[in-house]
Amino acid sequence: MGSIQALRGTRDILPEEIGYWQKVESVAHDILSRAAYQEIRTPIFEQTSLFERGIGEATDVVGKEMYTFKDRGNRSITLRPEGTAGVVRAFIEHGLAAQGGVQRLWYGGPMFRYERPQAGRQRQFHQIGVEVLGSPSPRADTEVIAIATQILQTLGLKNLHLNLNSIGDSEDRQNYREALIAYLTPFKSELDPDSQDRLTRNPLRILDSKDERTQEILQAAPSILDYLNPDSKTRFEQVQQQLTSLGIPYEVNPRLVRGLDYYTHTVFEIQSDDLGAQATVCAGGRYDGLVAQLGGPDTPAVGWAIGLERLILLLQQLQPVTPENIDFYVVSRGEPAEAQALVLAQTLRQRGFSVELDLSGSAFGKQFKRADRSGAAACFILGDAEAETQTVQLKWLATGKQEAIAQSSLISLTESLRQQIADSRAGVTGGSR
Ligand code: ATP
Ligand code: MG
């Protein structure tokens, strides 16, 4: 019988890779908490209608990509394809709007879309995202963009481009929509099939088409920027001025529309030169209509999501992230020594050290080899002689210096051991894992 494998489009993240994930998570967490964002965790599945109403039925996500199924109670359930709809549902359900002021939230976790798997595109993938609810200020738009930029920069990423656009308010967009349909209709038969289909249902999405002929036709299409009313225009200019004052470079791209229906005014994407076809690492924008659309009070909002798989592909090109070295490796052989070693390792951990206990029972020589490979600063050794005298050998792996210590004196040596580990790490220039 064949063994069972992970489903297509899903991946195991193994220990050798987990360092990248933990680094991204800790950098993001740190930056977000310093900007007063609080974490929110919402369920991974929701009622299907939340996404239909929140994301829009004419989008790719809702139209073709959702993992939707009937549960045993015959309810239609969907694995969340993105984070915003669930956060907004929670915001409404728990009356967070009534707390007044601005809510700065962030989330992280797996998302699910039925797409063709390829590099940087999976069926279960991960995002970290932010949502700022309750502020109509363009400064909120700029703040979230600045935070995304700070996270990516802190991780050391280069060759990133911020693409920026405004898609105005719903009236601007309605006017533009009509102009775009009027322009494209004479070319209808030359558009790619998807775009033909979108011409009436979701014409702005045609701007996103990858088809060459469609893109050629779009060259002379009207620009959304010519359809912004004075207020929308001012907002967009303010965001640009604020980005400039923060020293964040950007490029205005009037073709940039986002895949989800709920966006208004500012939309943006951060793309990398180093990712091939799936270049967008971070995407977001303002969505002033969504909270009301989902039955809540009128609440302006802005947010983004970073795709972690793509981010980690970039990090892996940059620098190896290795696990932290442990402090001590404990080697023992013979029954009484092994019993004492178990206690010794636990005592050291309780004193705050990181400790790996060799469980193999193999010859000392083999255990010493593993100690060397472990990256530990020092090795504790217990054999029959040590067990008998309630002592332990402590060997510093960088220098080979070795001393015998009474097991009972270990606790009083804690500070001195800590200092010696720091000294030995400072003196070691390589050779550890
Ligand atoms: P794309 O055009 O790449 O399909 P999208 O517009 O569908 O992106 P969003 O819904 O805005 O993407 O999601 C934000 C980010 O999440 C994307 O920029 C990307 O980094 C990541 N992402 C989206 N879908 C996937 C996926 N199937 N696999 C991995 N990452 C994804
Ligand atoms: Mg997509």
Side-chain angles (χ1 to χ4, degrees):
M1 222 166 44
S3 58
I4 296 174
Q5 298 187 333
L7 285 168
R8 191 168 140 76
T10 71
R11 276 188 72 231
D12 300 307
I13 301 165
L14 298 177
E16 62 183 36
E17 207 191 321
I18 202 72
Y20 294 97
W21 290 81
Q22 291 172 342
K23 174 153 188 208
V24 168
E25 283 155 6
S26 81
V27 164
H29 189 165
D30 183 44
I31 289 172
L32 289 164
S33 25
R34 276 186 285 136
Y37 286 66
Q38 289 185 300
E39 185 178 4
I40 180 167
R41 298 189 190 188
T42 66
I44 280 172
F45 55 83
E46 300 265 4
Q47 286 184 38
T48 301
S49 56
L50 172 67
F51 303 113
E52 288 170 348
R53 277 169 62 188
I55 301 174
E57 308 213 29
T59 59
D60 282 353
V61 171
V62 173
K64 337 184 189 171
E65 296 173 358
M66 291 207 301
Y67 273 93
T68 297
F69 57 95
K70 284 277 169 68
D71 75 0
R72 287 174 191 274
N74 211 33
R75 302 170 194 89
S76 182
I77 303 282
T78 295
L79 302 184
R80 63 181 186 195
E82 52 96 62
T84 303
V87 170
V88 169
R89 182 209 36 78
F91 175 84
I92 297 168
E93 185 170 336
H94 302 287
L96 299 187
Q99 297 178 9
V102 176
Q103 303 269 336
R104 289 181 168 89
L105 303 172
W106 73 271
Y107 62 83
M111 307 293 160
F112 305 85
R113 296 185 195 178
Y114 195 80
E115 300 197 73
R116 193 170 67 77
Q118 51 197 290
R121 194 176 289 290
Q122 292 175 200
R123 291 180 172 170
Q124 173 172 333
F125 62 100
H126 298 79
Q127 291 181 335
I128 284 182
V130 303
E131 316 292 354
V132 176
L133 294 133
S135 173
S137 168
R139 284 183 299 159
D141 309 35
T142 309
E143 175 178 293
V144 297
I145 294 174
I147 286 170
T149 308
Q150 190 185 353
I151 291 172
L152 300 174
Q153 262 172 7
T154 304
L155 289 167
L157 302 189
K158 305 250 153 37
N159 306 327
L160 296 173
H161 307 281
L162 169 60
N163 284 295
L164 190 67
N165 194 20
S166 171
I167 55 171
D169 62 18
S170 60
E171 215 178 285
D172 299 339
R173 224 162 30 258
Q174 190 50 40
N175 294 335
Y176 177 62
R177 201 184 129 100
E178 282 164 22
L180 193 61
I181 295 175
Y183 170 80
L184 287 174
T185 303
F187 297 105
K188 180 164 184 189
S189 60
E190 295 173 62
L191 298 174
D192 61 277
D194 265 354
S195 295
Q196 291 189 17
D197 190 47
R198 284 173 175 150
L199 190 53
T200 46
R201 294 171 60 219
N202 198 353
L204 265 66
R205 287 290 279 154
I206 298 175
L207 299 179
D208 228 13
S209 168
K210 305 270 185 302
D211 182 78
E212 260 179 51
R213 178 63 191 134
T214 301
Q215 276 303 330
E216 233 172 75
I217 294 166
L218 285 168
Q219 290 295 319
S223 162
I224 179 84
L225 297 178
D226 296 326
Y227 288 79
L228 300 183
N229 70 40
D231 176 59
S232 301
K233 221 177 240 166
T234 308
R235 292 188 56 91
F236 190 39
E237 279 159 11
Q238 285 173 334
V239 171
Q240 294 177 65
Q241 281 159 11
Q242 290 158 5
L243 287 170
T244 302
S245 71
L246 287 170
I248 299 173
Y250 63 88
E251 205 173 299
V252 173
N253 174 2
R255 298 277 169 78
L256 176 65
V257 288
R258 302 275 313 116
L260 317 180
D261 271 354
Y262 49 58
Y263 288 105
T264 51
H265 297 294
T266 311
V267 292
F268 64 92
E269 288 187 350
I270 301 176
Q271 286 170 338
S272 164
D273 291 338
D274 307 326
L275 276 176
Q278 316 306 325
T280 305
V281 181
C282 173
R286 181 164 276 284
Y287 52 95
D288 289 346
L290 181 61
V291 181
Q293 192 176 315
L294 290 176
D298 238 327
T299 309
V302 59
W304 50 248
I306 288 178
L308 295 189
E309 276 75 9
R310 295 183 197 177
L311 188 55
I312 280 158
L313 285 173
L314 290 173
L315 271 187
Q316 287 171 332
Q317 294 174 14
L318 263 187
Q319 75 220 151
V321 172
T322 46
E324 291 253 330
N325 281 325
I326 52 164
D327 298 324
F328 296 118
Y329 195 91
V330 179
V331 157
S332 59
R333 191 162 160 83
E335 219 175 277
E338 286 170 2
Q340 289 176 17
L342 186 66
V343 175
L344 173 83
Q346 193 59 19
T347 307
L348 289 165
R349 291 179 191 126
Q350 283 162 348
R351 306 301 296 176
F353 296 106
S354 55
V355 183
E356 182 172 347
L357 173 65
D358 193 309
L359 291 171
S360 68
S362 52
F364 271 122
K366 284 193 172 162
Q367 295 193 45
F368 286 140
K369 279 210 180 101
R370 278 194 288 272
D372 280 330
R373 280 199 306 263
S374 74
C379 173
F380 279 104
I381 306 156
L382 282 119
D384 290 335
E386 287 76 23
E388 178 98 8
T389 53
Q390 304 271 307
T391 58
V392 60
Q393 297 287 329
L394 173 59
K395 181 176 177 186
W396 293 93
L397 292 170
T399 58
K401 199 183 104 195
Q402 188 168 328
E403 60 194 312
I405 298 174
Q407 290 178 26
S408 59
S409 69
L410 265 179
I411 289 189
S412 64
L413 287 174
T414 299
E415 279 321 310
S416 139
L417 288 173
R418 227 186 284 291
Q419 189 55 50
Q420 289 182 78
I421 288 170
D423 292 348
S424 111
R425 295 252 189 265
V428 173
T429 49
S432 55
R433 74 177 171 194

